Amino acid sequence: MAISYKDAGVDIDAGNLAVQKMKSFVQSTYRSEVLTDLGSFAGLFQLNVQKYREPVLLSGTDGVGTKLRVAQMLDKHDTIGIDAVAMCVNDILVQGAEPLFFLDYIAVGKLNPDRVAAIVKGVAEGCRQSNCSLIGGETAEMPGFYPDEDYDIAGFAVGVADKSKILTGDKVANGDVLIGLPSTGLHSNGFSLARRVLLPNDMAAEQYDEILGQTIGEAMLTPTRIYVKDILPLLDSVDIHGMCHITGGGLLENLPRVYSGELCAEIDSMSWQRPPIFDLIQQRGDIPDAEMYRVFNMGIGYVIIVSEAEVDKVLSACPDGCVIGHMTERGSDTPGVVIK
């Protein structure tokens, strides 16, 4: 008996249907610089070189981690793509880049066109939030490698900045002020620990929590905040010394990536109100403060470092931001971040 590709687990027709279902979502993200449509072998984007004196392309790639397992538990797939975009565009934004375009890679055990379309719907929403175009991607059906209901997603973002305006952190100085922008919750980091504590079984995701005001699963799936539209207007109006996207490693490990080893960030942990999901995790898991701040963003998803003179400008443009600390000289026995 002849065996087809479909018999081996790969359904080409389902793949074609998935493309048709996602087409309108993809097209909704197109900027005027996009020169191709869905289905081309490569995505074409015409860089407006007149806008920049010395244009430099900045790129970033990331995934969503085990947050995917929560989406699969709840069979909710239309927001996880926002996370994939956020993790990439927020990273390149840190160095002053305007996101231009995005590509995604989705690997599945068995291709479900409606599910893939829902995932891409989220990717498109993330692209719209960051004003970048979804110009390409790949959906790979991999039977025997992934279980039928499993999938993974990764993203790739490219942005542009003038060479003279790229933020390297070399301007960060003693006395500078750190302004934190709130996160929407866990974002996309620390989920292996969060799941271990909050989801001892599949039913736990459906449990309603009075403090959270929603089910535990819903709170965990809250999409990662995209900071592009908050930050881009500041780049031309504020003298920003450094910025930081608070991802895996939390405040403790991400902030020192932005400034020299001679400096220390002193953080006042009482200067912002952290989302209740962090308290829930800490209480249920009996987790020490140091571990919490090393694993999670703890309610601060993005940090802007400026001189004292620029603080009011930033807070006026970002009314939900707050001063969370300041830079000091680092002693020989002092870590790069001190949280009080």
Side-chain angles (χ1 to χ4, degrees):
M1 178 185 293
I3 299 177
S4 68
Y5 207 10
K6 186 174 182 179
D7 294 331
V10 179
D11 191 338
I12 295 175
D13 291 333
N16 292 334
L17 180 58
V19 171
Q20 291 304 312
K21 286 179 174 289
M22 70 176 73
K23 191 170 185 178
S24 63
F25 304 137
V26 175
Q27 291 174 333
S28 72
T29 71
Y30 285 175
R31 295 166 49 133
S32 60
E33 300 98 323
V34 177
L35 302 182
T36 50
D37 202 355
L38 190 65
S40 300
F41 281 96
L44 276 64
F45 189 98
Q46 184 172 2
L47 181 64
N48 179 7
V49 294
Q50 305 302 318
K51 187 177 177 181
Y52 309 91
R53 293 183 179 180
E54 292 182 281
V56 175
L57 297 179
L58 294 85
S59 61
T61 182
D62 209 339
V64 180
T66 61
K67 187 171 187 174
L68 287 169
R69 185 61 69 203
V70 184
Q72 291 160 14
M73 275 184 184
L74 297 178
D75 195 25
K76 179 174 172 54
H77 312 282
D78 60 347
T79 61
I80 205 74
I82 300 174
D83 295 289
V85 175
M87 296 302 289
C88 298
V89 297
N90 285 343
D91 274 0
I92 65 172
L93 180 67
V94 161
Q95 293 192 263
E98 174 192 0
L100 296 175
F101 59 85
F102 188 83
L103 297 94
D104 60 20
Y105 173 81
I106 303 170
V108 303
K110 184 176 179 58
L111 203 153
N112 179 321
D114 290 327
R115 181 180 298 162
V116 170
I119 297 168
V120 175
K121 180 181 179 182
V123 174
E125 173 59 25
C127 286
R128 288 192 295 271
Q129 289 183 23
S130 51
N131 194 31
C132 70
S133 299
L134 178 56
I135 65 170
E138 171 69 9
T139 302
E141 190 171 19
M142 302 172 66
F145 191 83
Y146 291 99
D148 285 356
E149 300 303 312
D150 279 7
Y151 64 86
D152 196 7
I153 180 171
F156 313 85
V158 174
V160 64
D162 254 321
K163 187 175 182 179
S164 63
K165 296 181 179 180
I166 293 174
L167 298 174
T168 62
D170 59 349
K171 294 172 67 176
V172 178
N174 182 23
D176 280 355
V177 177
L178 290 87
I179 298 172
L181 300 186
S183 69
T184 51
L186 293 173
H187 282 185
S188 298
N189 300 105
F191 268 80
S192 293
L193 178 56
R195 289 188 304 110
R196 174 73 177 268
V197 173
L198 298 180
L199 303 177
N201 55 67
D202 288 357
M203 298 299 294
E206 302 284 358
Q207 291 177 358
Y208 183 85
D209 185 90
E210 293 287 346
I211 296 177
L212 297 177
Q214 58 189 156
T215 68
I216 290 174
E218 287 170 342
M220 294 178 77
L221 277 188
T222 302
T224 303
R225 177 172 170 179
I226 293 175
Y227 296 94
V228 173
K229 292 182 180 178
D230 300 288
I231 298 301
L232 284 184
L234 294 179
L235 295 178
D236 292 326
S237 61
V238 176
D239 182 17
I240 296 175
H241 289 180
M243 296 192 290
C244 187
H245 181 205
I246 309 303
T247 57
L251 289 162
L252 291 178
E253 295 195 2
N254 282 290
L255 282 172
R257 299 165 65 184
V258 179
Y259 45 80
S260 76
E262 298 175 353
L263 295 171
C264 167
E266 289 192 358
I267 306 295
D268 178 4
S269 63
M270 303 302 291
S271 59
W272 73 91
Q273 185 173 357
R274 65 188 194 184
I277 192 166
F278 297 109
D279 294 324
L280 188 64
I281 292 170
Q282 186 167 21
Q283 291 164 8
R284 289 195 181 182
D286 192 24
I287 302 170
D289 283 346
E291 183 73 356
M292 291 294 294
Y293 278 97
R294 189 182 183 198
V295 175
F296 302 109
N297 66 62
M298 299 301 283
I300 297 295
Y302 201 91
V303 175
I304 307 165
I305 305 175
V306 294
S307 69
E308 182 76 43
E310 300 288 285
V311 170
D312 287 344
K313 290 182 186 177
V314 176
L315 294 179
S316 177
C318 303
D320 63 347
C322 64
V323 173
I324 64 169
H326 61 279
M327 300 302 304
T328 65
E329 292 183 354
R330 182 174 179 179
S332 57
D333 297 325
T334 307
V337 179
V338 174
I339 297 179
K340 299 180 177 180

